[in-house]
Amino acid sequence: MKAVVLREFGSPGNLVVTEMEDPVAGPGEVLIDVRAVPVTFPDCLMLEDKYQFKAPLPFVPAGELAGVVAALGDGVDELAIGDRVVASSGLVGAMAELVAVPVASARPIPDGVGFAESTGLMYAYGTSYYGLKYRGELQAGETMLVLGAGGNVGLTAVELGKLMGARVIAAASTGEKLSLCRDRGADETINYDDENLKERAKELTDGRGVDMVFDCVGGDYAEQALRATAWGGRFLVIGFTAGIPRIPLNLTLLKGCQIVGVFLGGMTAKEPELAAQIEGELLAFTSSGELRPYVSGRFSLEEAPMAFQALIDRKAVGKVVVEPR
């Protein structure tokens, strides 16, 4: 089989497509003929050895895949050959034509949901849903501001915020990204390359401020967004594509607000039952059409470096996937 391999930390240019021996489904495992692998920002960080979890070289990047069950290991009766599934391979190991995973990590894909659309639900939608519902306790009728709204995670927050009954203000860096946000349900938009984020958010809320900030970006935008929160607001810390910010904590005192960390990986490890519940709910939302995952880029194995570079350059709009077959 073919697989994408990183042998030396660095840029996506270090990724190479390599012929490897086909894996075999061991006891309690299923072998999956891979059709789609989502590329995420943590995957990009792992290429440069900058992620909090490190993988020893060489490794096959990405940790999630969707495909068709090709073989069953001993003791497996939960799935059948030919079933369409989405599965986790851990932190790495997914970007290959064939992958063996524990059957417990594979879930059937509902009818009507594509391979690419089924992937990344827990990374993107899972992060957003966990943050909005369980960490931020978003309520219908509240106003939320999403930073990095044109990216994979931010766009899911826009969709889920609307699904949960909130008024959503989407903030991003280009007109193209903001146009997509409006198409996906955003009520208002802010281009923070052209507009003052704090002032515009205040203007859109008649000076009151927003009830919740969903921050995928960090950097200099974080403090501006925190200053735009209403009394008693919640600031959800999701990621730092623009760098880790330094926040003056006196703002939390003056606003009576909360800064809340949202770490899906930590929750999944410590509360696996909640993680499984969230994944099941998201698959149900997708199957019913309430959620419509947006795939903006599809790349072959040979084009994998381009997929990673699109995220690193912040040019990706929505979800990017590599399709091995």
Side-chain angles (χ1 to χ4, degrees):
M1 71 166 188
K2 292 181 179 179
V4 176
V5 177
L6 184 77
R7 300 191 185 281
E8 181 180 353
F9 291 117
S11 72
N14 289 352
L15 294 169
V16 295
V17 177
T18 303
E19 286 286 346
M20 300 179 68
E21 188 172 335
D22 289 357
V24 175
E29 293 185 333
V30 292
L31 181 66
I32 300 174
D33 185 346
V34 181
R35 304 298 174 84
V37 179
V39 181
T40 69
F41 190 67
D43 295 329
C44 296
L45 292 177
M46 290 186 74
L47 298 189
E48 300 178 320
D49 197 23
K50 293 181 179 179
Y51 194 52
Q52 55 259 45
F53 299 113
K54 302 182 185 297
L57 294 169
F59 66 83
V60 174
E64 189 178 359
L65 58 124
V68 178
V69 175
L72 307 174
D74 289 343
V76 173
D77 56 15
E78 299 93 329
L79 296 171
I81 293 174
D83 283 353
R84 301 165 69 250
V85 296
V86 59
S88 170
S89 62
L91 288 174
V92 296
M95 202 164 286
E97 291 180 327
L98 294 168
V99 175
V101 301
V103 67
S105 75
R107 293 181 178 274
I109 299 173
D111 292 341
V113 178
F115 291 113
E117 287 76 11
S118 73
T119 62
L121 283 180
M122 276 305 283
Y123 166 70
Y125 284 101
T127 296
S128 297
Y129 195 52
Y130 173 55
L132 296 179
K133 182 175 180 178
Y134 295 96
R135 298 294 288 154
E137 298 181 351
L138 181 66
Q139 302 298 308
E142 290 189 314
T143 298
M144 61 178 286
L145 170 65
V146 182
L147 306 190
N152 190 12
V153 176
L155 195 60
T156 66
V158 171
E159 292 182 78
L160 285 166
K162 289 303 297 179
L163 185 61
M164 296 171 70
R167 178 181 181 231
V168 177
I169 302 172
S173 58
T174 70
E176 177 192 7
K177 292 178 179 180
L178 293 175
S179 177
L180 176 61
C181 290
R182 287 190 290 270
D183 290 343
R184 309 300 280 190
D187 298 285
E188 306 284 354
T189 59
I190 300 174
N191 186 327
Y192 42 53
D193 276 4
D194 298 334
E195 301 175 276
N196 182 288
L197 179 62
K198 172 197 165 186
E199 296 302 325
R200 184 59 177 149
K202 286 276 195 175
E203 180 182 330
L204 290 172
T205 55
D206 296 324
R208 177 181 175 275
V210 299
D211 298 296
M212 180 182 291
V213 173
F214 186 94
D215 182 15
C216 304
V217 179
D220 294 337
Y221 301 112
E223 183 178 336
Q224 296 180 50
L226 184 60
R227 290 182 181 276
T229 56
W231 173 259
R234 291 91 76 204
F235 185 102
L236 303 188
V237 180
I238 310 299
F240 314 104
T241 58
I244 298 176
R246 294 187 175 184
I247 297 292
L249 289 180
N250 64 307
L251 291 175
T252 63
L253 180 77
L254 296 172
K255 291 180 170 291
C257 65
Q258 304 173 49
I259 296 178
V260 183
V262 180
F263 183 20
L264 182 72
M267 179 276 289
T268 300
K270 296 179 183 298
E271 303 178 69
E273 298 85 2
L274 176 58
Q277 176 184 324
I278 288 173
E279 185 174 13
E281 291 179 17
L282 292 173
L283 283 171
F285 286 148
T286 305
S287 181
S288 70
E290 293 175 275
L291 290 181
R292 298 173 295 111
Y294 178 75
V295 181
S296 64
R298 299 172 185 264
F299 298 83
S300 66
L301 280 181
E302 289 73 18
E303 295 170 330
M306 297 168 57
F308 281 87
Q309 197 65 53
L311 266 70
I312 291 171
D313 293 341
R314 297 177 64 186
K315 293 180 178 178
V317 180
K319 183 191 303 188
V320 170
V321 298
V322 169
E323 298 178 321
R325 298 185 190 276

